[in-house]
Structures are given as structure tokens and as C-alpha cells.
Amino acid sequence: MAAALSINSIDLHYGAAQALKGISLTCQPGKITAVLGRNGVGKSSTLRAITGINHLSAGDITFGEEVLKRTPPYKRARMGIGYVPQGREIFPLLTVKENLETGYAGLARSERNVPEYIFELFPVLKSMLGRRGGDLSGGQQQQLAIGRALVTRPKVLVLDEPTEGIQPSIIKDIGRALQFLRDEKGMTILLVEQFLDFCREIADDIYVMDRGEIMHTGPASDLDLPDVRKHLMV
Ligand SMILES: Nc1ncnc2c1ncn2[C@@H]1O[C@H](COP(=O)(O)OP(=O)(O)OP(=O)(O)O)[C@@H](O)[C@H]1O
Ligand SMILES: [Mg+2]
């Protein structure tokens, strides 16, 4: 089967500074792919290249059969790339319900609803529908950000450090939710992380990044190799 998403030798610059150096990465359909790396190695830059927020200076990105050239972020969202940004970026003054409804923007009228399974994955969202996003705990906001991305009916779900600053019990819920999306919904998932144990538990394939480059790729069990760990040690 063709890759769901593939990044082919991409470079990315911020002014004169090169953040990504010839990154290549493939997400297999219906699998969880994790990109690991320390602070500042280019994980978020890679995801922002996929969502179209940042422009490439070389290489290309293919989504299914389509090459994404200068396709703007809103079109990529409509095509089926769901994005959960680092730090969650929920709307603090909107209610939980309104935050979820922002996911309607790219949907046909008949699809403008919140699928019930989202509330089954994250029951707290249902019980807090009328509360402001900003009143939720960090972990609840993360669940809301994932829920909002799921409302857009993504084919590929892209998450930027979903466990960052979140308490262990909610990390478990998020891990279970991602496994459910893969196993029951056939969703393709790409996440970037610094939390090794989380990735070892739920990921199928891993990529290890260091200073703008991919240093290693393999199955999640490779996280135990000394050569891999040396790139992740602080
Ligand atoms: N908007 C920007 N302008 C200039 N430089 C940037 C910008 N965003 C990121 N960088 C730089 O690009 C490099 C990669 O940053 P990036 O945010 O992709 O790393 P990261 O792996 O996501 O880090 P973290 O784990 O801290 O989230 C860093 O050196 C960072 O300082
Ligand atoms: Mg980042």
C-alpha cells in the first residue's frame, strides 16, 4: 500500500538559519509513527511543514497521491490532515463546545457534528461542554485539542508533543485514545515526542532526530538501542 504521508528530503530555513536538513520520513497507513528528539532539533518545524504553516526551501511532501506544493494550511486540513499543535492552542475564551465546533469550518453541512466516539474517548469533554477552554486543566485542554482535530474527520492525525506537561493518568487516556484511533478507525498517526516510554508503548515506527537531521529509523523497540538513546539523552 502507498504511504499515507511521505516527506522527501525537505530543507527548511528561518531566515539564514537552517532548521531541517534533508529530512525524509514515511507514515504507513493505519500505523503510529513517532519522531523523537531533544529540545530544538526541529520536531515542530517538521510538523509545521506538513501542515503548511512553514514553507520548504527544498524537497516535497506527499499526502496520499498528491504532492503538497504551496497548498495553504486550510486546504490541507480539508484534505484530511488533522493537527494538534504544541501547547494545544485551544481558544481560552470559547467554551469546550465552541472549541470543538471550530473544527466544522472545512466540513460539508451534513458532517457538522461532533462524532459521539470523541466523547467516549474523552468523557470529560462532554461533562464540561459549557465551560470555557481556559478554565480546563492542561490535560483536559490536550484532550480538547485532540477532540477538535478529530471533528475535522482527519485521515492523518498529527500531534506535537501530546504528553508535554500532562499528568500520568491523562497521558494513559491519550495513549489509549491514539491506539483506538489506529486499531478501530484505521487512522494514520504521526506524533513528535520527547517521552520515550509513551512512544515505546504505542508507536509502530520511530524516527530519531538530532539537529535538523534524521539519525535513525526503525521499529519502536529500537528505542532500547544504545546508539538510539545517545541522541535522546539530555
Ligand atoms: N519561528 C522561528 N524563527 C526562527 N527560528 C526558529 C523558529 N521556530 C523554530 N526556530 C528554531 O529552529 C530550530 C528547531 O526548532 P523546533 O521548534 O522545530 O524544535 P523542536 O524540536 O520542536 O523543539 P521543542 O522540543 O523545544 O519543541 C531551533 O533552533 C529553533 O530555535
Ligand atoms: Mg516543538
Side-chain angles (χ1 to χ4, degrees):
M1 216 191 312
L5 181 73
S6 105
I7 297 181
N8 312 303
S9 307
I10 63 169
D11 290 350
L12 190 150
H13 289 80
Y14 295 106
Q18 185 163 8
L20 301 180
K21 300 170 188 163
I23 298 273
S24 294
L25 183 161
T26 301
C27 297
Q28 296 304 334
K31 301 277 182 200
I32 298 178
T33 303
V35 177
L36 289 114
R38 287 178 291 224
N39 283 122
V41 298
K43 301 181 302 295
S44 296
S45 300
T46 303
L47 297 193
R48 289 195 301 260
I50 293 169
T51 54
I53 298 165
N54 288 353
H55 293 298
L56 306 178
S57 27
D60 60 52
I61 296 175
T62 319
F63 178 61
E65 308 282 296
E66 285 202 67
V67 181
L68 306 172
K69 292 225 162 82
R70 288 244 154 179
T71 314
Y74 78 90
K75 281 198 184 148
R76 296 184 196 211
R78 280 185 193 184
M79 290 166 78
I81 298 179
Y83 180 43
V84 182
Q86 186 165 21
R88 319 181 259 276
E89 296 184 17
I90 56 121
F91 302 101
L93 299 181
L94 298 186
T95 64
V96 167
K97 180 164 181 280
E98 288 164 341
N99 267 279
L100 291 169
E101 288 171 356
T102 61
Y104 290 178
L107 296 177
R109 198 167 291 270
S110 61
E111 282 186 314
R112 293 187 176 183
N113 54 60
V114 179
E116 195 55 35
Y117 82 84
I118 295 174
F119 295 125
E120 283 160 20
L121 289 177
F122 303 126
V124 68
L125 298 182
K126 190 154 202 170
S127 60
M128 295 184 114
L129 273 175
R131 297 278 283 277
R132 286 189 183 194
D135 294 339
L136 272 52
S137 74
Q140 292 165 344
Q141 290 185 4
Q142 188 65 268
Q143 296 175 80
L144 176 56
I146 296 170
R148 177 180 61 183
L150 292 174
V151 168
T152 69
R153 314 295 199 272
K155 298 190 184 86
V156 176
L157 183 64
V158 175
L159 306 103
D160 197 336
E161 298 204 40
T163 71
E164 191 179 23
I166 307 253
Q167 66 190 71
S169 68
I170 298 191
I171 290 178
K172 280 216 167 62
D173 291 342
I174 291 173
R176 272 195 295 268
L178 297 182
Q179 288 172 310
F180 168 87
L181 293 169
R182 171 190 63 192
D183 299 337
E184 306 301 326
K185 299 278 171 191
M187 208 172 279
T188 304
I189 296 171
L190 172 63
L191 65 138
V192 309
E193 259 303 335
Q194 300 202 47
F195 187 11
L196 271 58
D197 292 341
F198 183 72
C199 294
R200 192 190 292 98
E201 218 161 276
I202 70 163
D204 298 295
D205 303 315
I206 59 153
Y207 287 81
V208 177
M209 274 184 90
D210 205 350
R211 276 169 261 160
E213 294 180 78
I214 301 284
M215 310 306 289
H216 181 91
T217 170
S221 54
D222 282 3
L223 279 172
D224 295 318
L225 301 175
D227 266 6
V228 168
R229 292 188 86 95
K230 78 170 189 239
H231 293 291
L232 301 171
M233 238 80 96
V234 182

